[in-house]
Amino acid sequence: MGAGELHGRKAEEDTIAELLAGARAGTSSSLVLRGEPGIGKTALLDHAAAAAGGMRLVRGTGVEFEAELPFSGLQLLLRPALGSLAALPGPQREALEAAFGLGPAAGSEPMLVGLAVLSLLAEHANETGLLCLVDDAQWLDRASRDALLFAARRLHAEGVVMIFAARDGEGSFPAPGLPESRLSGLAPEVAAALLDRHSLAPAVRYRLLAEAGGNPLALLELPVALAAEGGSAFSPGALPLTSRLQLAFHGQVSRMSEACQSLLLVAAADETGELTVILRAAAALGAAVEDLSPAERAGLVLRGDADGTTIRFRHPLIRAAVYQRAPLGQRLAAHRALAAALGSPEHADRRAWHLAAAATGADEEAAAALERTAARARERSGHEAAAAAYERAARLSVEPGARAHREALAAEAALEAGDLERARALGGRAARRLNGAPAVNARIAHVRALADFWQGSYSAAHRLLLDGAGLIRDTDPGQAAVLLIQAVHTSWYLGEQQLAATLERLIALPLDDADPLAPVGPYLVHLDRNRSDGPPPLGDTLAAVRRRGRTPDQVLMILCGAALALGQDADAYELATSLAAGHRARGGAGRLPTVLFFVVEGEVFTGRHLDALATATEALGLARDTGQQQWVSQFSSVLAYLAAAKGEEAACRRNAEEGLAGATAGTISPGAPWAHWSLGLLDLGLGRAEAALARFERLTREPMRHHICATRSIPDLVESAVRVGAQERAAEPLARFERWAASVRQPWADALVMRCRGLLTADDRAEAFYTAALELHDQDGRALEYARTALLYGEWLRRARRKAEARGPLNEALEVFDWLGMRPWAERARGELTASGAQDQGPRPAEGVAAGLTPQELQIARLAAQGLSNRDIAAQLFLSHRTVGYHLYKAYPKLGVASRSELKDFADQLGL
C-alpha cells in the first residue's frame, strides 16, 4: 500500500504528521510501532517516507539471522549519511569508523558509537530535517540496537525523527523511555472494504474476515493463496495467522522453478542482500541471475537500492517461508556455498557464521573461525556479538578444554554486554568443566559475581568473590586482590561484620610490595570502624599506587567511595572529577554515572546544591539511557535529598520512592540510605521531628549503619531527638559519630560534634560548644553546615533572652538558606529573627540568576563561559551540538546576556 492507500490508520497517520511537522520546526522525536506480522507497520513506515517530502531519509531493516554481526544493521542504515562523517569530533568519527570496519579497532567506549550516531544524524539532518526509519527492529544486532536507542533517547533539537517498527513475539526490541504505539487489527468495516478488492463467495468472504482478525496483510494475501489453491488451501483454525501467511507465501515460492527456489534460498540464508555474493553462491548450486526473474515478476523480491546492487524480500514472512520450509540438506548446502563465496578477508566474520550454520557436529575449523570473529567483535565493543560467537564456537569445539575456555570467554563478553543471566549461565557451565583450573575458575567466579551484584544478589556475589580469591590467593595474589577489593564493595551492602571480615582477608594477602594494588588494602582497612588510628591521606595512597604502575578505574572508584566514608571529601572530589573528565574525553557515557555519584556526594556534603542538582540530573539521564538501574536508584535518592532541603515534599517522596525500589529479600536497594536520609531531612525541615527521628534511626541499624549517609545524618538525628525531648535516643549514635570524627581528623567533622554537644547541653555550657563549632566550620567551603549551626546558636541565644546577639548568627543562617532556596529552613530563621525584634526583609533571591536555569542549561552555560564551542560541549555532555545551541538560546535571556562573550565576561556575577 502506498502513502495514500492506508486503510483505518488515521490516528497513526496524524501522529506521524505531527512528528514530521516538529522536525521541520527543529524539534526531534522518536516512536516505536509494535504489532503482529502483517498488521501494517511497514506500510506506516512507507507512508512516513512519502510524507517526509524534502526531508532527508535513511532507512534500514533488521534481518533474522543466527549471526550476531556487530553494527551490521547500523552500517546498512547509515550508509547514505556517511558523507557527513568528517564533521564529527575525532574520537566519535574514529569510533564509528572502527565499528563499520572503515578504520582500526581502538577498543573505544561502547556508548561512544551511540554518541557518534547522534552527532551523525544531527549533521545529516542539515537544515531540512531527517527521517530515520528502522523496520523489523527486533532483529537488529545488539550493538546497532544499543547505539540507535542511545541516540534516540538523547535527541532534542536536531530536527530528526526516528521511527522503529518491531514485531511482537519474536526477537527483542526493549525500548524503555521511548514513546510507543501498538497497532491492532483494522475495524470490521475497514477490513471488509479492503477484502472487497477481491471477488469472493459470501461464505469464503465471511471466513476470511473472521480468520484475518483485521490483519491487513492477511486480508490482501490469503485470498490470492486461496484462489491459487482452488479455494481449499487451509482448513479453518488449523494454524496461527503468521503460519498461514508463511504457507501462503510458500505456495507462491513452490510454483517457481527449482533454480529460482535455490537462488531464493541463498538470498534468504544471506543477511545483507548483496547481489554479487548471492549470485556467486547460487552459481555453486546451479542457479544464475536470469533465474531470479520469475520471483521478481511475482513480487517476491524487490530491488534493495537505487543502483540495483542489493535485493530484498517484499515481506520478512516471505524470507522466513523460503528458509524455514526448505529441506535441511538444501539449507546446509546454501550456507556452504555462501561460506565459499565469502572468501575475502573483509568477509571473514560472515564466512565464519556460514561455516557454523553448515556444520552438522563438532567442527574445529568453524569454531576457530568464530573465535577469531568474537575477538574482532570485542575489539569493536560488539560485546553481545562476541558472546554469541564464543558460545557457538564452544558448541562446535572438539576438545572439552577448548570448549570450556570458549565458554569462559563467552561469559566475560556477555557480562560486558550487560546480558547478566547469560553471563551467569555460561560461567556456571564453564566452571563445571574446569574443576582443575583454579586461575580460570577464579576468572569465571569474578564474572558470575559481577552478574549477581548488578542484579542485586549481593550475598551470592560476595561469596563468589571470596571463593574466587581463595583459589588464587597464593598463586596470583595480585588478581586475588582485585577480587577482594571488589568484595569490599559487595560487603558494603551486607553489613559491618562482612565488611570487617573482607578487609581482614585483603590485608592478609601475600601481595608483593611492587604491585600497584599494594597500597590499596592498607587504606581501605580504615573502613573498619573498630580501628582507632586515622587513615593516610587519599593523595598519598594514590601517589603510592601510581608509582607502582597502572591500576583499574574500578579500584580508583572504590578508593573514591572509601575516601568519602573516611571524611576526605576534598580528595575524593578531586579524584572523582578527574575520573569524570577522563570518561567524558573518551566518550564513556556508560561509565560516567558511577564516578558522577562520588562527584555529587562531594557537592552535597559541601552544600553546593545547585551544582549537585546539575550533576545528579545529568547522571540520572545517562543511567536511564544506558540501562543502569543501580544508578537510577542512587541518583533518584540524591534528587530526593535536594528536594527535601528545599521543602519540596511531592518531589522528594516521588524520587525517594524510586530510590527505594528494587530491594530484594535480605538486601536493600542501592539508593535506600540516601532515600531514608532524604525523607528524614524533609520531615525535620517541615517540623515533623518524631517522624524524622524514626527515619534517621533506621539508618543506625544493619545493613545501613556503616553507610556514608548513616554517618553523615547523625547530626540530624541528634537535632530530631532533642526536638522531641528524647535526648537518650541520640546517645549511642552520637558516641559512634564522635569515634568516627576522631578517626577522620577533619575540622568540619569536629565542628559537627561540637554542634551536637551544644544541642544536648541544657545549661549555659551549650554556648561554648556552639561558638567552638562556628570557629571550626569552614564558612566558605561548607557554608550550609555553618548556617545550620548558626541557626541553632541563634535560637539558643533568643531563648536565653539575648535577642540582639541572636540576630547576627540568625542573619548569617538566613542568607545561606535563602541563597540555597531552602525554604523551610529560611522560614524558621526568619521566624526567629522576627521573634528577636528584627524587621522581616522578605525572601532573598536564590543562588543568583543562575538559579532560574534548568540543570542542563546551567551545565551548558558554564561550559560555554569557559570558552568551549557547542561541539566541544556536546561531546562532554553526550548531546548533539544542535541541542547545545538550543539550550544556550534558552539560557541567554534568563541570564540577561546576548552573546557568548558577555557570558564569559559576567560568569562570576551571574553565579556560573
Side-chain angles (χ1 to χ4, degrees):
M1 291 185 287
E5 301 176 54
L6 289 181
H7 291 255
R9 298 294 185 210
K10 180 70 167 59
E12 290 81 4
E13 289 179 75
D14 289 346
T15 297
I16 289 170
E18 189 177 333
L19 299 183
L20 295 175
R24 294 185 185 102
T27 301
S28 296
S29 54
S30 58
L31 178 67
V32 180
L33 300 172
R34 295 195 185 274
E36 66 180 0
I39 202 66
K41 303 182 296 296
T42 302
L44 278 168
L45 296 187
D46 292 340
H47 169 80
M55 293 173 65
R56 288 183 167 180
L57 175 69
V58 292
R59 186 167 186 173
T61 302
V63 179
E64 185 181 21
F65 190 56
E66 181 191 17
E68 174 83 15
L69 298 171
F71 303 110
S72 56
L74 187 66
Q75 186 170 12
L76 292 171
L77 171 71
L78 295 182
R79 196 156 43 188
L82 292 182
S84 302
L85 201 56
L88 269 58
Q92 294 180 33
R93 183 181 67 253
E94 290 161 11
L96 205 53
E97 286 172 345
F100 292 167
L102 304 174
S108 61
E109 297 281 351
M111 285 303 146
L112 187 55
V113 176
L115 179 59
V117 170
L118 174 64
S119 298
L120 187 66
L121 293 176
E123 290 292 345
H124 195 59
N126 205 351
E127 301 303 320
T128 60
L130 172 69
L131 175 62
C132 174
L133 302 174
V134 181
D135 206 356
D136 284 319
Q138 76 280 354
W139 288 326
L140 284 173
D141 61 277
R142 170 71 179 273
S144 296
R145 185 192 83 194
D146 287 351
L148 286 168
L149 287 176
F150 180 83
R153 293 186 183 112
R154 309 296 285 178
L155 287 172
H156 187 75
E158 302 81 4
V160 174
V161 175
M162 298 180 77
I163 306 179
F164 303 91
R167 183 187 293 189
D168 286 339
E170 295 179 52
S172 175
F173 188 69
L178 297 191
E180 296 195 355
S181 176
R182 184 164 297 281
L183 302 185
S184 55
L186 299 176
E189 63 277 10
V190 178
L194 190 58
L195 188 62
D196 287 344
R197 294 177 170 196
H198 304 273
S199 179
L200 299 167
V204 174
R205 179 179 180 275
Y206 178 81
R207 172 185 155 194
L208 284 175
L209 279 174
E211 297 199 11
N215 184 294
L217 187 67
L219 291 163
L220 291 171
E221 298 293 341
L222 289 182
V224 175
L226 282 169
E229 299 295 334
S232 60
F234 317 112
S235 58
L239 291 169
L241 182 60
T242 300
S243 300
R244 287 168 184 250
L245 287 167
Q246 280 193 25
L247 275 175
F249 287 133
H250 186 258
Q252 295 179 53
V253 171
S254 64
R255 289 190 286 275
M256 301 289 129
S257 68
E258 188 173 326
C260 180
Q261 288 187 53
S262 293
L263 207 154
L264 288 175
L265 177 57
V266 171
D270 176 65
E271 76 284 1
T272 65
E274 289 179 26
L275 198 52
T276 53
V277 172
I278 290 169
L279 292 175
R280 200 182 308 141
L285 302 179
V289 65
E290 52 270 18
D291 294 313
L292 192 60
S293 298
E296 289 183 286
R297 287 194 298 272
L300 293 172
V301 293
L302 306 170
R303 182 179 293 185
D305 52 25
D307 55 11
T309 59
T310 62
I311 59 171
R312 64 181 177 89
F313 288 97
R314 175 165 57 85
H315 194 279
L317 288 179
I318 301 175
R319 180 181 182 276
V322 170
Y323 188 80
Q324 292 170 13
R325 294 190 165 273
L328 176 61
Q330 291 180 17
R331 293 205 301 269
L332 295 175
H335 284 295
R336 279 194 295 271
L338 281 164
L342 293 164
S344 57
E346 68 269 22
H347 295 316
D349 296 339
R350 290 168 62 192
R351 178 177 183 274
W353 276 105
H354 284 296
L355 283 174
T360 56
D363 186 325
E364 188 55 32
E365 180 194 0
L370 277 175
E371 186 172 352
R372 291 190 294 271
T373 284
R376 284 189 292 270
R378 214 166 180 177
E379 287 175 356
R380 294 158 62 194
S381 300
H383 300 299
E384 183 82 6
Y390 280 132
E391 185 176 6
R392 186 77 171 98
R395 290 203 298 269
L396 292 170
S397 299
V398 176
E399 296 295 328
R403 180 169 190 165
H405 169 72
R406 287 161 177 161
E407 282 175 338
L409 291 170
E412 289 179 342
L415 182 72
E416 289 166 336
D419 193 344
L420 305 182
E421 288 293 348
R422 188 178 186 184
R424 266 164 130 182
L426 286 163
R429 209 182 303 158
R432 286 191 293 275
R433 300 184 205 279
L434 288 166
N435 290 330
V440 182
N441 267 318
R443 240 172 89 192
I444 293 168
H446 197 186
V447 170
R448 294 168 67 197
L450 288 172
D452 280 334
F453 177 72
W454 289 338
Q455 288 185 314
S457 299
Y458 303 134
S459 296
H462 190 63
R463 187 74 259 154
L464 282 165
L465 288 167
L466 296 182
D467 290 348
L471 289 171
I472 54 173
R473 180 188 184 279
D474 298 315
T475 56
D476 190 354
Q479 187 57 31
V482 171
L483 270 68
L484 286 175
I485 291 168
Q486 184 68 46
V488 171
H489 192 190
T490 54
S491 69
W492 194 254
Y493 294 91
L494 299 176
E496 277 187 309
Q497 281 187 317
Q498 291 90 334
L499 175 62
T502 306
L503 291 168
E504 190 177 327
R505 287 196 188 208
L506 176 61
I507 206 70
L509 273 180
L511 200 57
D512 190 318
D513 185 62
D515 192 296
L517 297 180
V520 175
Y523 183 82
L524 293 180
V525 77
H526 291 277
L527 292 170
D528 183 352
R529 292 293 180 83
N530 295 315
R531 294 182 68 95
S532 56
D533 55 325
L538 175 63
D540 292 354
T541 300
L542 290 174
V545 166
R546 286 164 178 156
R547 279 196 303 272
R548 290 165 168 81
R550 288 183 57 82
T551 195
D553 274 2
Q554 179 63 27
V555 173
L556 294 177
M557 285 192 271
I558 288 172
L559 282 172
C560 215
L564 287 166
L566 296 172
Q568 297 177 4
D569 296 358
D571 287 349
Y573 185 76
E574 184 181 345
L575 174 58
T577 51
S578 170
L579 290 170
H583 289 317
R584 290 190 193 281
R586 294 189 297 272
R591 302 178 196 272
L592 197 56
T594 305
V595 72
L596 284 181
F597 185 67
F598 301 124
V599 171
V600 82
E601 285 194 313
E603 289 165 345
V604 170
F605 295 155
T606 51
R608 289 177 288 157
H609 287 190
L610 194 59
D611 294 344
L613 179 62
T615 301
T617 302
E618 179 198 10
L620 179 60
L622 283 171
R624 288 194 201 283
D625 292 347
T626 53
Q628 299 183 68
Q629 193 54 43
Q630 174 188 356
W631 297 117
V632 170
S633 170
Q634 295 271 37
F635 286 109
S636 295
S637 293
V638 173
L639 288 173
Y641 179 93
L642 296 171
K646 291 186 170 186
E648 296 172 351
E649 183 159 11
C652 175
R653 294 196 182 282
R654 182 179 64 251
N655 285 311
E657 187 176 329
E658 187 158 14
L660 290 167
T664 57
T667 62
I668 57 171
S669 68
W674 271 98
H676 289 303
W677 190 8
S678 304
L679 293 166
L681 183 69
L682 176 74
D683 286 330
L684 180 59
L686 295 176
R688 302 189 291 249
E690 183 62 58
L693 181 57
R695 282 284 179 191
F696 296 136
E697 285 180 328
R698 289 186 72 169
L699 287 166
T700 67
R701 297 190 285 270
E702 291 285 24
M704 292 185 283
R705 63 187 267 117
H706 62 286
H707 277 248
I708 295 171
C709 293
T711 302
R712 305 284 181 125
S713 66
I714 287 174
D716 293 337
L717 182 152
V718 172
E719 184 174 342
S720 303
V722 169
R723 288 195 168 274
V724 298
Q727 286 87 336
E728 70 283 356
R729 290 164 69 179
E732 192 280 330
L734 178 57
R736 183 178 172 81
F737 187 79
E738 287 173 335
R739 289 193 299 274
W740 176 78
S743 72
V744 302
R745 302 173 185 175
Q746 297 288 337
W748 58 263
D750 294 334
L752 293 173
V753 170
M754 293 295 108
R755 180 212 290 173
C756 292
R757 288 177 181 169
L759 274 164
L760 291 167
T761 302
D763 54 29
D764 289 348
R765 289 176 300 165
E767 183 170 15
F769 290 126
Y770 284 131
T771 55
L774 290 171
E775 284 190 21
L776 286 166
H777 277 305
D778 178 356
Q779 190 171 357
D780 296 322
R782 304 178 88 96
L784 177 55
E785 293 301 350
Y786 180 91
R788 293 276 302 271
T789 301
L791 173 61
L792 290 167
Y793 181 40
E795 289 175 333
W796 184 88
L797 286 169
R798 188 192 63 77
R799 287 195 303 273
R801 303 183 184 277
R802 294 159 62 181
K803 294 183 179 181
E805 293 175 70
R807 291 172 199 150
L810 289 172
N811 265 314
E812 287 180 323
L814 178 59
E815 185 177 351
V816 173
F817 296 145
D818 272 341
W819 178 253
L820 292 175
M822 294 174 64
R823 181 184 53 77
W825 301 87
E827 287 177 357
R828 180 171 145 191
R830 195 170 284 111
E832 287 289 333
L833 272 169
T834 302
S836 74
Q839 189 174 353
D840 187 358
Q841 300 295 318
R844 302 161 209 183
E847 303 219 37
V849 291
L853 302 180
T854 67
Q856 196 160 66
E857 288 168 355
L858 175 63
Q859 273 192 309
I860 289 170
R862 278 183 167 158
L863 292 170
Q866 294 170 22
L868 274 68
S869 70
N870 284 8
R871 292 179 188 276
D872 292 335
I873 297 169
Q876 283 214 24
L877 300 183
F878 307 99
L879 303 168
S880 75
H881 68 90
R882 293 179 186 273
T883 293
V884 170
Y886 170 84
H887 284 298
L888 269 181
Y889 176 77
K890 291 283 192 183
Y892 283 167
K894 295 181 183 179
L895 294 171
V897 299
S899 68
R900 227 182 185 87
S901 59
E902 284 185 38
L903 189 66
K904 193 173 181 180
D905 292 341
F906 295 106
D908 287 341
Q909 298 96 305
L910 295 171
L912 300 178

